[in-house]
């Protein structure tokens, strides 16, 4: 008998339960001026959405928003070639056409992924570090909504039960982060599943140390307001009138 795995109807249920806003600010408006007017996470030049084929089947039955992603360089071809048999790369029509109810799990979660410790315990959320210099949220984790954290954790708890391969993927990615960050002597920031912020210091053998978002590093153009203004001007982007507290304030 064929073993049941995650199915389109499972994703329909996940979508209905995983809808919380990532933050209390529209983070896409922070990075868009540096990315040709498009949020970083909504452009395949920055991030290629990868979905389970069952999820894609559901989406195709609900909307014409999504279509097959076509690699256009060596890097994107390698990403697509390395996908397992149950996954595929997709692309949407763009941020201007976004349908909130038809966002993929990857879209709903970006830039975060489930962090698993060495023993495989699901500790909380951390980020895809390749986007440190482009994603505003990574430099401003204090704005992440608690409801979002709770819904993402609940969604992935269920995904892991239905799809052990996804659990293995996230466990492997967490191990890769530990190796990379240890080599670079960087802390791993974690939004804990039970609340609060923690950091894992290099050489601390995975020990969680309570902290605040102020302990987390800021990157690239988001290091300071001056750096942001300079970067937007260099990119030919448009600065909106400064909000109270400055451009980078939530």
């Amino acid at each position: 008998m064929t073993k049941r795995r995650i199915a389109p109807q499972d994703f329909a249920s996940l979508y209905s339960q995983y809808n919380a806003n990532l933050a209390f600010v529209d983070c896409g408006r922070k990075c868009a001026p540096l990315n040709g007017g498009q949020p970083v996470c909504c452009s395949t030049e920055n991030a290629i959405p990868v979905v389970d084929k069952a999820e894609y089947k559901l989406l195709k039955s609900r909307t014409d928003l999504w279509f097959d992603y076509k690699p256009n360089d060596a890097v994107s071809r390698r990403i697509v070639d390395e996908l397992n048999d149950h996954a595929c790369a997709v692309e949407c029509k763009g941020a201007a056409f976004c349908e909130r109810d038809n966002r993929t799990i990857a879209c709903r979660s970006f830039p975060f992924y489930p962090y698993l410790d060495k023993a495989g315990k699901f500790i909380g959320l951390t980020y895809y570090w390749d986007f440190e210099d482009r994603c505003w949220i990574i430099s401003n984790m204090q704005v992440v909504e608690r409801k979002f954290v709770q819904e993402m954790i609940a969604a992935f708890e269920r995904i892991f039960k239905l799809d052990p391969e996804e659990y293995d993927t996230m466990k492997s990615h967490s191990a890769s982060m530990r190796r990379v960050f240890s080599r670079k002597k960087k802390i791993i920031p974690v939004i804990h599943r039970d609340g609060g912020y923690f950091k894992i210091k290099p050489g601390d053998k995975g020990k969680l140390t309570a902290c605040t978002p102020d302990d987390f590093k800021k990157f690239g153009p988001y290091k300071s307001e001056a750096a942001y203004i300079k970067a937007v001007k260099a990119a030919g982007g448009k600065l909106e009138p400064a909000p109270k507290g400055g451009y980078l304030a939530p």
Side-chain angles (χ1 to χ4, degrees):
M1 188 173 77
T2 303
K3 185 178 180 181
R4 181 185 180 275
R5 70 178 302 276
I6 198 164
Q9 62 265 28
D10 295 316
F11 283 101
S13 177
L14 285 163
Y15 284 3
S16 69
Q17 298 168 2
Y18 185 16
N19 272 312
N21 290 327
L22 167 61
F24 56 82
V25 60
D26 183 355
C27 56
R29 296 179 67 179
K30 304 290 187 177
C31 64
L34 299 168
N35 192 52
Q38 293 291 318
V40 165
C41 57
C42 296
S43 167
T44 53
E45 292 182 7
N46 291 291
I48 301 170
V50 173
V51 300
D52 190 284
K53 289 180 179 178
E55 181 177 13
Y56 194 28
K57 184 176 181 180
L58 170 71
L59 288 167
K60 296 290 279 186
S61 73
R62 289 165 53 129
T63 179
D64 64 356
L65 177 66
W66 295 92
F67 51 93
D68 295 351
Y69 171 73
K70 303 297 183 184
N72 54 21
D73 58 28
V75 174
S76 59
R77 282 192 291 274
R78 186 179 72 249
I79 291 172
V80 172
D81 289 344
E82 290 178 352
L83 295 176
N84 65 44
D85 292 341
H86 296 306
C88 59
V90 297
E91 187 171 358
C92 74
K93 294 179 180 179
F97 303 95
C98 184
E99 299 170 10
R100 184 170 178 79
D101 290 341
N102 290 318
R103 293 170 299 146
T104 66
I105 294 295
C107 288
R108 293 164 200 246
S109 305
F110 188 90
F112 296 105
Y113 78 91
Y115 179 79
L116 281 63
D117 67 12
K118 290 183 179 181
K121 184 178 179 181
F122 185 178
I123 300 298
L125 310 182
T126 190
Y127 59 76
Y128 289 107
W129 63 92
D130 285 347
F131 300 95
E132 285 177 337
D133 62 337
R134 285 165 286 166
C135 178
W136 180 84
I137 282 287
I138 290 174
S139 292
N140 293 274
M141 290 170 64
Q142 75 280 357
V143 305
V144 176
E145 293 275 15
R146 184 64 198 159
K147 186 178 180 184
F148 165 81
V149 175
Q150 293 169 333
E151 289 191 6
M152 181 173 170
I153 287 170
F156 274 93
E157 289 278 22
R158 187 172 175 198
I159 290 169
F160 290 161
K161 289 179 180 178
L162 294 167
D163 186 4
E165 287 185 10
E166 183 68 6
Y167 172 85
D168 291 340
T169 296
M170 293 303 167
K171 185 178 180 182
S172 175
H173 198 73
S174 298
S176 294
M177 188 177 199
R178 286 191 291 274
R179 287 192 297 270
V180 170
F181 278 49
S182 178
R183 186 171 64 248
K184 294 183 177 181
K185 301 188 185 307
K186 294 170 57 176
I187 67 166
I188 295 177
V190 176
I191 302 177
H192 202 279
R193 61 181 298 144
D194 296 329
Y197 298 88
F198 291 80
K199 57 187 176 183
I200 302 172
K201 300 176 184 177
D204 260 13
K205 298 181 179 180
K207 177 185 174 184
L208 290 168
T209 301
C211 65
T212 73
D214 291 337
D215 293 312
F216 300 153
K217 185 177 178 181
K218 295 182 180 294
F219 301 93
Y222 309 119
K223 290 179 179 178
S224 68
E225 184 166 312
Y228 179 71
I229 294 171
K230 181 179 180 180
V232 170
K233 289 181 177 179
K238 182 180 178 182
L239 281 168
E240 298 180 6
K244 183 179 179 181
Y247 286 102
L248 297 183

